[in-house]
Amino acid sequence: METEIPALLRSRESIAPERFTFHSSRMRMKKVTKEELEAMDADSDRCALELSDARVDVMGYACLVAIMSMGHGYHRVSADRLTNRTVENGNPAPVTTSAGALVEGIHALGAKKVAVVAPYMKPLTQMVVDYIRSEGIEVVDHRALEIADNLAVAAHDPMKLPGIASELDLSDVDAVVLSACVQMPSLAAVPLAEAMTGKPVLTAAIATTWSMLNELGLDTRVPGGGTLLSGAYNRKA
């Protein structure tokens, strides 16, 4: 959340007049396990309150798997609850989650079938796959990188991702989710992955940026942001 989303917003500043400030509040997590993810999500209300004190215009909840670990459709529950926290604090701001943004972004592309790359262990990756499927999207193939340590996820070389994606069955997919995790860097690899696969490529960070710009009512064209951030796609109700 603190690396690629600000990078995308800075890239947008090169072509549009709006300027952005970035504020963050952290929930603790070291190992990407279901138990730590649940504890992390329980702390999200505190973060929403802290950020609403800054009177931000939009909030993004960055941990995709934390949301998905709480049950199918939970991104709607979380976004509504955290938005209500900002209202109660007197500084209302819409909240988008990376989990919800990814699902919405796939739908916005008109994609029915996707392939997914995720850094998580196999059980958590399967949970992510099942969550995406519960939203009416077919996951044709997926790859779990099985990186348990959260800092190791952040240190993963993004330029390995196009090769990993090319090993998946992409023959019948409409789009590729190159990183189902805001923590795992992928932005530098997106143009190469789109060129290699011939498919629209999106990531959790790209989808979250797209969703936040939609919440702000701004143009969603961002250089280097792949097909979803080409400016051709708006949120569909």
Side-chain angles (χ1 to χ4, degrees), residues 84-119:
N84 286 337
R85 296 293 87 80
T86 72
V87 172
E88 292 164 1
N89 199 35
N91 298 315
V95 177
T96 187
T97 71
S98 55
L102 182 63
V103 168
E104 291 175 11
I106 293 170
H107 283 306
L109 289 172
K112 305 296 185 183
K113 301 178 180 180
V114 300
V116 176
V117 179

PDB file of all heavy atoms in Angstrom, residues 84-119:
ATOM      1  N   ASN A  84     -18.561   3.696   8.059  1.00  0.00           N
ATOM      2  CA  ASN A  84     -19.370   4.170   9.192  1.00  0.00           C
ATOM      3  C   ASN A  84     -18.504   4.709  10.322  1.00  0.00           C
ATOM      4  O   ASN A  84     -18.903   5.664  11.016  1.00  0.00           O
ATOM      5  CB  ASN A  84     -20.264   3.039   9.711  1.00  0.00           C
ATOM      6  CG  ASN A  84     -21.439   2.758   8.791  1.00  0.00           C
ATOM      7  OD1 ASN A  84     -21.850   3.622   8.018  1.00  0.00           O
ATOM      8  ND2 ASN A  84     -21.966   1.545   8.843  1.00  0.00           N
ATOM      9  N   ARG A  85     -17.319   4.124  10.520  1.00  0.00           N
ATOM     10  CA  ARG A  85     -16.415   4.649  11.550  1.00  0.00           C
ATOM     11  C   ARG A  85     -16.020   6.086  11.229  1.00  0.00           C
ATOM     12  O   ARG A  85     -15.917   6.926  12.122  1.00  0.00           O
ATOM     13  CB  ARG A  85     -15.157   3.779  11.654  1.00  0.00           C
ATOM     14  CG  ARG A  85     -15.335   2.350  12.100  1.00  0.00           C
ATOM     15  CD  ARG A  85     -15.784   2.237  13.551  1.00  0.00           C
ATOM     16  NE  ARG A  85     -17.227   2.302  13.646  1.00  0.00           N
ATOM     17  CZ  ARG A  85     -18.053   1.282  13.406  1.00  0.00           C
ATOM     18  NH1 ARG A  85     -17.559   0.112  13.065  1.00  0.00           N
ATOM     19  NH2 ARG A  85     -19.359   1.419  13.510  1.00  0.00           N
ATOM     20  N   THR A  86     -15.787   6.361   9.936  1.00  0.00           N
ATOM     21  CA  THR A  86     -15.393   7.727   9.560  1.00  0.00           C
ATOM     22  C   THR A  86     -16.554   8.693   9.734  1.00  0.00           C
ATOM     23  O   THR A  86     -16.359   9.847  10.118  1.00  0.00           O
ATOM     24  CB  THR A  86     -14.875   7.777   8.108  1.00  0.00           C
ATOM     25  OG1 THR A  86     -15.954   7.623   7.176  1.00  0.00           O
ATOM     26  CG2 THR A  86     -13.837   6.698   7.853  1.00  0.00           C
ATOM     27  N   VAL A  87     -17.756   8.231   9.452  1.00  0.00           N
ATOM     28  CA  VAL A  87     -18.957   9.065   9.636  1.00  0.00           C
ATOM     29  C   VAL A  87     -19.136   9.386  11.110  1.00  0.00           C
ATOM     30  O   VAL A  87     -19.391  10.540  11.497  1.00  0.00           O
ATOM     31  CB  VAL A  87     -20.197   8.355   9.070  1.00  0.00           C
ATOM     32  CG1 VAL A  87     -21.468   9.116   9.431  1.00  0.00           C
ATOM     33  CG2 VAL A  87     -20.083   8.199   7.555  1.00  0.00           C
ATOM     34  N   GLU A  88     -19.009   8.367  11.955  1.00  0.00           N
ATOM     35  CA  GLU A  88     -19.155   8.558  13.396  1.00  0.00           C
ATOM     36  C   GLU A  88     -18.099   9.514  13.949  1.00  0.00           C
ATOM     37  O   GLU A  88     -18.335  10.209  14.936  1.00  0.00           O
ATOM     38  CB  GLU A  88     -19.046   7.205  14.103  1.00  0.00           C
ATOM     39  CG  GLU A  88     -20.212   6.267  13.807  1.00  0.00           C
ATOM     40  CD  GLU A  88     -19.912   4.824  14.174  1.00  0.00           C
ATOM     41  OE1 GLU A  88     -18.794   4.556  14.677  1.00  0.00           O
ATOM     42  OE2 GLU A  88     -20.780   3.962  13.969  1.00  0.00           O
ATOM     43  N   ASN A  89     -16.940   9.564  13.269  1.00  0.00           N
ATOM     44  CA  ASN A  89     -15.857  10.438  13.712  1.00  0.00           C
ATOM     45  C   ASN A  89     -16.009  11.857  13.172  1.00  0.00           C
ATOM     46  O   ASN A  89     -15.164  12.719  13.442  1.00  0.00           O
ATOM     47  CB  ASN A  89     -14.509   9.847  13.276  1.00  0.00           C
ATOM     48  CG  ASN A  89     -13.345  10.404  14.058  1.00  0.00           C
ATOM     49  OD1 ASN A  89     -13.445  10.687  15.253  1.00  0.00           O
ATOM     50  ND2 ASN A  89     -12.206  10.569  13.395  1.00  0.00           N
ATOM     51  N   GLY A  90     -17.051  12.085  12.397  1.00  0.00           N
ATOM     52  CA  GLY A  90     -17.305  13.436  11.895  1.00  0.00           C
ATOM     53  C   GLY A  90     -16.517  13.812  10.664  1.00  0.00           C
ATOM     54  O   GLY A  90     -16.590  14.958  10.203  1.00  0.00           O
ATOM     55  N   ASN A  91     -15.768  12.862  10.079  1.00  0.00           N
ATOM     56  CA  ASN A  91     -14.986  13.127   8.872  1.00  0.00           C
ATOM     57  C   ASN A  91     -15.236  12.011   7.858  1.00  0.00           C
ATOM     58  O   ASN A  91     -14.374  11.169   7.611  1.00  0.00           O
ATOM     59  CB  ASN A  91     -13.488  13.206   9.198  1.00  0.00           C
ATOM     60  CG  ASN A  91     -13.154  14.332  10.150  1.00  0.00           C
ATOM     61  OD1 ASN A  91     -13.640  15.451   9.983  1.00  0.00           O
ATOM     62  ND2 ASN A  91     -12.343  14.059  11.151  1.00  0.00           N
ATOM     63  N   PRO A  92     -16.423  11.980   7.266  1.00  0.00           N
ATOM     64  CA  PRO A  92     -16.792  10.852   6.411  1.00  0.00           C
ATOM     65  C   PRO A  92     -15.885  10.707   5.190  1.00  0.00           C
ATOM     66  O   PRO A  92     -15.522  11.696   4.553  1.00  0.00           O
ATOM     67  CB  PRO A  92     -18.231  11.171   6.000  1.00  0.00           C
ATOM     68  CG  PRO A  92     -18.368  12.648   6.177  1.00  0.00           C
ATOM     69  CD  PRO A  92     -17.492  13.003   7.340  1.00  0.00           C
ATOM     70  N   ALA A  93     -15.526   9.457   4.891  1.00  0.00           N
ATOM     71  CA  ALA A  93     -14.717   9.150   3.716  1.00  0.00           C
ATOM     72  C   ALA A  93     -15.093   7.759   3.223  1.00  0.00           C
ATOM     73  O   ALA A  93     -15.264   6.845   4.036  1.00  0.00           O
ATOM     74  CB  ALA A  93     -13.233   9.203   4.053  1.00  0.00           C
ATOM     75  N   PRO A  94     -15.223   7.584   1.921  1.00  0.00           N
ATOM     76  CA  PRO A  94     -15.499   6.244   1.401  1.00  0.00           C
ATOM     77  C   PRO A  94     -14.289   5.338   1.599  1.00  0.00           C
ATOM     78  O   PRO A  94     -13.140   5.798   1.560  1.00  0.00           O
ATOM     79  CB  PRO A  94     -15.772   6.486  -0.089  1.00  0.00           C
ATOM     80  CG  PRO A  94     -15.041   7.756  -0.406  1.00  0.00           C
ATOM     81  CD  PRO A  94     -15.108   8.586   0.842  1.00  0.00           C
ATOM     82  N   VAL A  95     -14.552   4.066   1.809  1.00  0.00           N
ATOM     83  CA  VAL A  95     -13.487   3.079   2.014  1.00  0.00           C
ATOM     84  C   VAL A  95     -13.598   2.018   0.936  1.00  0.00           C
ATOM     85  O   VAL A  95     -14.675   1.461   0.693  1.00  0.00           O
ATOM     86  CB  VAL A  95     -13.590   2.421   3.403  1.00  0.00           C
ATOM     87  CG1 VAL A  95     -12.509   1.354   3.565  1.00  0.00           C
ATOM     88  CG2 VAL A  95     -13.463   3.476   4.502  1.00  0.00           C
ATOM     89  N   THR A  96     -12.489   1.738   0.277  1.00  0.00           N
ATOM     90  CA  THR A  96     -12.423   0.632  -0.666  1.00  0.00           C
ATOM     91  C   THR A  96     -11.419  -0.387  -0.144  1.00  0.00           C
ATOM     92  O   THR A  96     -10.465  -0.029   0.556  1.00  0.00           O
ATOM     93  CB  THR A  96     -12.021   1.111  -2.072  1.00  0.00           C
ATOM     94  OG1 THR A  96     -12.122   0.031  -2.999  1.00  0.00           O
ATOM     95  CG2 THR A  96     -10.610   1.658  -2.087  1.00  0.00           C
ATOM     96  N   THR A  97     -11.646  -1.653  -0.438  1.00  0.00           N
ATOM     97  CA  THR A  97     -10.709  -2.693  -0.032  1.00  0.00           C
ATOM     98  C   THR A  97     -10.034  -3.269  -1.264  1.00  0.00           C
ATOM     99  O   THR A  97     -10.620  -3.301  -2.352  1.00  0.00           O
ATOM    100  CB  THR A  97     -11.414  -3.837   0.721  1.00  0.00           C
ATOM    101  OG1 THR A  97     -12.208  -4.597  -0.213  1.00  0.00           O
ATOM    102  CG2 THR A  97     -12.298  -3.311   1.847  1.00  0.00           C
ATOM    103  N   SER A  98      -8.808  -3.736  -1.110  1.00  0.00           N
ATOM    104  CA  SER A  98      -8.116  -4.319  -2.256  1.00  0.00           C
ATOM    105  C   SER A  98      -8.826  -5.579  -2.744  1.00  0.00           C
ATOM    106  O   SER A  98      -8.827  -5.875  -3.946  1.00  0.00           O
ATOM    107  CB  SER A  98      -6.653  -4.613  -1.916  1.00  0.00           C
ATOM    108  OG  SER A  98      -6.542  -5.424  -0.777  1.00  0.00           O
ATOM    109  N   ALA A  99      -9.462  -6.306  -1.814  1.00  0.00           N
ATOM    110  CA  ALA A  99     -10.214  -7.497  -2.211  1.00  0.00           C
ATOM    111  C   ALA A  99     -11.397  -7.122  -3.094  1.00  0.00           C
ATOM    112  O   ALA A  99     -11.603  -7.697  -4.173  1.00  0.00           O
ATOM    113  CB  ALA A  99     -10.686  -8.242  -0.967  1.00  0.00           C
ATOM    114  N   GLY A 100     -12.182  -6.161  -2.637  1.00  0.00           N
ATOM    115  CA  GLY A 100     -13.318  -5.714  -3.426  1.00  0.00           C
ATOM    116  C   GLY A 100     -12.892  -5.066  -4.721  1.00  0.00           C
ATOM    117  O   GLY A 100     -13.524  -5.259  -5.776  1.00  0.00           O
ATOM    118  N   ALA A 101     -11.806  -4.289  -4.669  1.00  0.00           N
ATOM    119  CA  ALA A 101     -11.328  -3.598  -5.868  1.00  0.00           C
ATOM    120  C   ALA A 101     -10.880  -4.594  -6.931  1.00  0.00           C
ATOM    121  O   ALA A 101     -11.133  -4.394  -8.127  1.00  0.00           O
ATOM    122  CB  ALA A 101     -10.179  -2.665  -5.499  1.00  0.00           C
ATOM    123  N   LEU A 102     -10.213  -5.666  -6.511  1.00  0.00           N
ATOM    124  CA  LEU A 102      -9.761  -6.657  -7.483  1.00  0.00           C
ATOM    125  C   LEU A 102     -10.954  -7.308  -8.185  1.00  0.00           C
ATOM    126  O   LEU A 102     -10.979  -7.434  -9.414  1.00  0.00           O
ATOM    127  CB  LEU A 102      -8.910  -7.724  -6.808  1.00  0.00           C
ATOM    128  CG  LEU A 102      -8.334  -8.792  -7.746  1.00  0.00           C
ATOM    129  CD1 LEU A 102      -7.375  -8.168  -8.753  1.00  0.00           C
ATOM    130  CD2 LEU A 102      -7.647  -9.906  -6.965  1.00  0.00           C
ATOM    131  N   VAL A 103     -11.944  -7.701  -7.404  1.00  0.00           N
ATOM    132  CA  VAL A 103     -13.148  -8.307  -7.980  1.00  0.00           C
ATOM    133  C   VAL A 103     -13.844  -7.323  -8.917  1.00  0.00           C
ATOM    134  O   VAL A 103     -14.214  -7.668 -10.052  1.00  0.00           O
ATOM    135  CB  VAL A 103     -14.104  -8.754  -6.855  1.00  0.00           C
ATOM    136  CG1 VAL A 103     -15.479  -9.104  -7.418  1.00  0.00           C
ATOM    137  CG2 VAL A 103     -13.515  -9.939  -6.086  1.00  0.00           C
ATOM    138  N   GLU A 104     -14.009  -6.076  -8.477  1.00  0.00           N
ATOM    139  CA  GLU A 104     -14.675  -5.062  -9.302  1.00  0.00           C
ATOM    140  C   GLU A 104     -13.871  -4.767 -10.556  1.00  0.00           C
ATOM    141  O   GLU A 104     -14.444  -4.546 -11.637  1.00  0.00           O
ATOM    142  CB  GLU A 104     -14.880  -3.791  -8.490  1.00  0.00           C
ATOM    143  CG  GLU A 104     -15.902  -3.929  -7.361  1.00  0.00           C
ATOM    144  CD  GLU A 104     -15.979  -2.671  -6.498  1.00  0.00           C
ATOM    145  OE1 GLU A 104     -15.390  -1.650  -6.911  1.00  0.00           O
ATOM    146  OE2 GLU A 104     -16.615  -2.730  -5.445  1.00  0.00           O
ATOM    147  N   GLY A 105     -12.551  -4.745 -10.418  1.00  0.00           N
ATOM    148  CA  GLY A 105     -11.690  -4.473 -11.571  1.00  0.00           C
ATOM    149  C   GLY A 105     -11.780  -5.559 -12.624  1.00  0.00           C
ATOM    150  O   GLY A 105     -11.814  -5.276 -13.835  1.00  0.00           O
ATOM    151  N   ILE A 106     -11.824  -6.805 -12.184  1.00  0.00           N
ATOM    152  CA  ILE A 106     -11.991  -7.918 -13.123  1.00  0.00           C
ATOM    153  C   ILE A 106     -13.321  -7.787 -13.858  1.00  0.00           C
ATOM    154  O   ILE A 106     -13.396  -7.934 -15.084  1.00  0.00           O
ATOM    155  CB  ILE A 106     -11.895  -9.264 -12.379  1.00  0.00           C
ATOM    156  CG1 ILE A 106     -10.470  -9.479 -11.847  1.00  0.00           C
ATOM    157  CG2 ILE A 106     -12.285 -10.419 -13.302  1.00  0.00           C
ATOM    158  CD1 ILE A 106     -10.343 -10.660 -10.895  1.00  0.00           C
ATOM    159  N   HIS A 107     -14.373  -7.500 -13.114  1.00  0.00           N
ATOM    160  CA  HIS A 107     -15.695  -7.325 -13.743  1.00  0.00           C
ATOM    161  C   HIS A 107     -15.689  -6.135 -14.710  1.00  0.00           C
ATOM    162  O   HIS A 107     -16.304  -6.197 -15.786  1.00  0.00           O
ATOM    163  CB  HIS A 107     -16.766  -7.123 -12.677  1.00  0.00           C
ATOM    164  CG  HIS A 107     -17.177  -8.384 -11.976  1.00  0.00           C
ATOM    165  ND1 HIS A 107     -17.600  -9.512 -12.650  1.00  0.00           N
ATOM    166  CD2 HIS A 107     -17.240  -8.691 -10.650  1.00  0.00           C
ATOM    167  CE1 HIS A 107     -17.909 -10.456 -11.783  1.00  0.00           C
ATOM    168  NE2 HIS A 107     -17.703  -9.989 -10.558  1.00  0.00           N
ATOM    169  N   ALA A 108     -15.005  -5.054 -14.327  1.00  0.00           N
ATOM    170  CA  ALA A 108     -14.973  -3.871 -15.190  1.00  0.00           C
ATOM    171  C   ALA A 108     -14.312  -4.175 -16.532  1.00  0.00           C
ATOM    172  O   ALA A 108     -14.710  -3.628 -17.570  1.00  0.00           O
ATOM    173  CB  ALA A 108     -14.245  -2.724 -14.490  1.00  0.00           C
ATOM    174  N   LEU A 109     -13.323  -5.051 -16.511  1.00  0.00           N
ATOM    175  CA  LEU A 109     -12.653  -5.455 -17.751  1.00  0.00           C
ATOM    176  C   LEU A 109     -13.535  -6.362 -18.605  1.00  0.00           C
ATOM    177  O   LEU A 109     -13.208  -6.644 -19.763  1.00  0.00           O
ATOM    178  CB  LEU A 109     -11.352  -6.191 -17.426  1.00  0.00           C
ATOM    179  CG  LEU A 109     -10.206  -5.357 -16.863  1.00  0.00           C
ATOM    180  CD1 LEU A 109      -9.075  -6.271 -16.410  1.00  0.00           C
ATOM    181  CD2 LEU A 109      -9.694  -4.340 -17.899  1.00  0.00           C
ATOM    182  N   GLY A 110     -14.630  -6.815 -18.041  1.00  0.00           N
ATOM    183  CA  GLY A 110     -15.486  -7.754 -18.743  1.00  0.00           C
ATOM    184  C   GLY A 110     -14.929  -9.165 -18.739  1.00  0.00           C
ATOM    185  O   GLY A 110     -15.368 -10.016 -19.529  1.00  0.00           O
ATOM    186  N   ALA A 111     -13.990  -9.425 -17.844  1.00  0.00           N
ATOM    187  CA  ALA A 111     -13.339 -10.736 -17.797  1.00  0.00           C
ATOM    188  C   ALA A 111     -14.205 -11.741 -17.045  1.00  0.00           C
ATOM    189  O   ALA A 111     -14.656 -11.467 -15.937  1.00  0.00           O
ATOM    190  CB  ALA A 111     -11.964 -10.615 -17.131  1.00  0.00           C
ATOM    191  N   LYS A 112     -14.402 -12.880 -17.634  1.00  0.00           N
ATOM    192  CA  LYS A 112     -15.156 -13.969 -17.009  1.00  0.00           C
ATOM    193  C   LYS A 112     -14.233 -15.053 -16.460  1.00  0.00           C
ATOM    194  O   LYS A 112     -14.589 -15.761 -15.516  1.00  0.00           O
ATOM    195  CB  LYS A 112     -16.119 -14.598 -18.020  1.00  0.00           C
ATOM    196  CG  LYS A 112     -17.071 -13.616 -18.691  1.00  0.00           C
ATOM    197  CD  LYS A 112     -18.027 -12.975 -17.691  1.00  0.00           C
ATOM    198  CE  LYS A 112     -19.032 -12.089 -18.415  1.00  0.00           C
ATOM    199  NZ  LYS A 112     -19.931 -11.391 -17.457  1.00  0.00           N
ATOM    200  N   LYS A 113     -13.061 -15.182 -17.078  1.00  0.00           N
ATOM    201  CA  LYS A 113     -12.107 -16.223 -16.698  1.00  0.00           C
ATOM    202  C   LYS A 113     -10.725 -15.602 -16.489  1.00  0.00           C
ATOM    203  O   LYS A 113     -10.277 -14.807 -17.323  1.00  0.00           O
ATOM    204  CB  LYS A 113     -12.027 -17.301 -17.789  1.00  0.00           C
ATOM    205  CG  LYS A 113     -13.346 -17.986 -18.089  1.00  0.00           C
ATOM    206  CD  LYS A 113     -13.179 -19.002 -19.215  1.00  0.00           C
ATOM    207  CE  LYS A 113     -14.494 -19.696 -19.540  1.00  0.00           C
ATOM    208  NZ  LYS A 113     -14.340 -20.695 -20.634  1.00  0.00           N
ATOM    209  N   VAL A 114     -10.080 -15.949 -15.389  1.00  0.00           N
ATOM    210  CA  VAL A 114      -8.779 -15.360 -15.072  1.00  0.00           C
ATOM    211  C   VAL A 114      -7.795 -16.441 -14.623  1.00  0.00           C
ATOM    212  O   VAL A 114      -8.187 -17.546 -14.250  1.00  0.00           O
ATOM    213  CB  VAL A 114      -8.894 -14.292 -13.963  1.00  0.00           C
ATOM    214  CG1 VAL A 114      -9.804 -13.159 -14.386  1.00  0.00           C
ATOM    215  CG2 VAL A 114      -9.365 -14.912 -12.644  1.00  0.00           C
ATOM    216  N   ALA A 115      -6.528 -16.086 -14.652  1.00  0.00           N
ATOM    217  CA  ALA A 115      -5.463 -16.852 -14.007  1.00  0.00           C
ATOM    218  C   ALA A 115      -4.871 -15.965 -12.926  1.00  0.00           C
ATOM    219  O   ALA A 115      -4.803 -14.741 -13.091  1.00  0.00           O
ATOM    220  CB  ALA A 115      -4.395 -17.261 -15.019  1.00  0.00           C
ATOM    221  N   VAL A 116      -4.450 -16.557 -11.821  1.00  0.00           N
ATOM    222  CA  VAL A 116      -4.056 -15.792 -10.639  1.00  0.00           C
ATOM    223  C   VAL A 116      -2.689 -16.236 -10.125  1.00  0.00           C
ATOM    224  O   VAL A 116      -2.429 -17.444  -9.994  1.00  0.00           O
ATOM    225  CB  VAL A 116      -5.098 -15.959  -9.515  1.00  0.00           C
ATOM    226  CG1 VAL A 116      -4.647 -15.243  -8.243  1.00  0.00           C
ATOM    227  CG2 VAL A 116      -6.466 -15.449  -9.962  1.00  0.00           C
ATOM    228  N   VAL A 117      -1.846 -15.252  -9.809  1.00  0.00           N
ATOM    229  CA  VAL A 117      -0.587 -15.505  -9.107  1.00  0.00           C
ATOM    230  C   VAL A 117      -0.688 -14.863  -7.728  1.00  0.00           C
ATOM    231  O   VAL A 117      -1.055 -13.688  -7.608  1.00  0.00           O
ATOM    232  CB  VAL A 117       0.623 -14.914  -9.866  1.00  0.00           C
ATOM    233  CG1 VAL A 117       1.915 -15.183  -9.099  1.00  0.00           C
ATOM    234  CG2 VAL A 117       0.712 -15.483 -11.276  1.00  0.00           C
ATOM    235  N   ALA A 118      -0.380 -15.627  -6.697  1.00  0.00           N
ATOM    236  CA  ALA A 118      -0.460 -15.122  -5.317  1.00  0.00           C
ATOM    237  C   ALA A 118       0.786 -15.560  -4.546  1.00  0.00           C
ATOM    238  O   ALA A 118       1.316 -16.647  -4.784  1.00  0.00           O
ATOM    239  CB  ALA A 118      -1.718 -15.650  -4.632  1.00  0.00           C
ATOM    240  N   PRO A 119       1.240 -14.745  -3.586  1.00  0.00           N
ATOM    241  CA  PRO A 119       2.438 -15.099  -2.834  1.00  0.00           C
ATOM    242  C   PRO A 119       2.183 -16.058  -1.677  1.00  0.00           C
ATOM    243  O   PRO A 119       3.121 -16.549  -1.061  1.00  0.00           O
ATOM    244  CB  PRO A 119       2.912 -13.745  -2.296  1.00  0.00           C
ATOM    245  CG  PRO A 119       1.647 -12.982  -2.103  1.00  0.00           C
ATOM    246  CD  PRO A 119       0.752 -13.403  -3.248  1.00  0.00           C
TER     247      PRO A 119
END
